[in-house]
């Protein structure tokens, strides 16, 4: 897959689309983790996800968050309008507002700003 091949870059923050990837299902979480492992953080936009990820009953978003947390890799999920996905999603975004490794942000710019901050111990 040469067209999706990116040079090994150590550090930095990338979006999932910059890595040439999407998250169509739970099986892709490991591939995404592997592609992002050398980065300082990953930004996943709403459009990168299968809609099932945003249905909290599916458990897919929880699995994504837990995987990145377990590997201590910062992850920003860009969801411009959390209320569109229900009250529980708004609550989840609020709960993660102070999380050290996973945030839900309204814009890619806000995600980059958060990920650019020094890591908290």
């Amino acid at each position: 897959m040469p067209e999706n091949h990116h040079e090994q870059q150590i550090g930095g923050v990338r979006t999932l689309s910059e890595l040439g990837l999407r998250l169509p299902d739970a099986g892709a979480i490991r591939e995404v983790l592997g592609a992002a492992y050398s980065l300082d953080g990953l930004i996943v936009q709403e459009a990168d996800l299968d809609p099932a990820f945003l249905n909290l009953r599916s458990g897919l978003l929880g699995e994504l968050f837990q995987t990145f947390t377990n590997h201590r890799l910062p992850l920003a999920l860009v969801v411009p309008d959390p209320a569109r996905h229900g009250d529980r999603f708004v609550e989840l975004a609020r709960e993660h507002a102070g999380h050290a490794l996973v945030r839900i942000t309204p814009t890619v710019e806000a995600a980059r700003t958060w990920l650019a901050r020094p890591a908290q111990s």
Side-chain angles (χ1 to χ4, degrees):
M1 301 185 281
E3 64 273 2
N4 281 346
H5 181 71
H6 63 288
E7 292 181 31
Q8 276 301 98
Q9 296 179 356
I10 304 299
V13 171
R14 301 285 180 277
T15 65
L16 194 56
S17 58
E18 287 170 347
L19 296 177
L21 297 172
R22 289 184 43 79
L23 275 163
D25 53 41
I29 293 173
R30 270 194 119 55
E31 178 185 4
V32 167
L33 179 67
Y37 211 75
S38 65
L39 299 177
D40 294 325
L42 180 67
I43 299 170
V44 176
Q45 297 176 74
E46 192 172 352
D48 297 328
L49 300 169
D50 183 275
F53 275 87
L54 300 171
N55 174 356
L56 297 183
R57 291 176 188 241
S58 74
L60 291 171
L61 196 60
E63 186 176 341
L64 176 66
F65 285 3
Q66 191 62 54
T67 299
F68 273 71
T69 298
N70 289 349
H71 291 274
R72 304 201 48 76
L73 180 61
L75 173 74
L77 175 62
V78 177
V79 178
D81 182 13
R84 210 177 115 218
H85 304 289
D87 291 342
R88 178 63 188 111
F89 200 95
V90 171
E91 188 179 319
L92 180 71
R94 224 177 275 126
E95 289 169 2
H96 280 81
H99 196 282
L101 293 169
V102 175
R103 293 280 170 99
I104 298 174
T105 67
T107 65
V108 171
E109 181 180 276
R112 287 190 191 282
T113 298
W114 173 68
L115 288 167
R117 293 188 176 151
Q120 310 251 336
S121 335

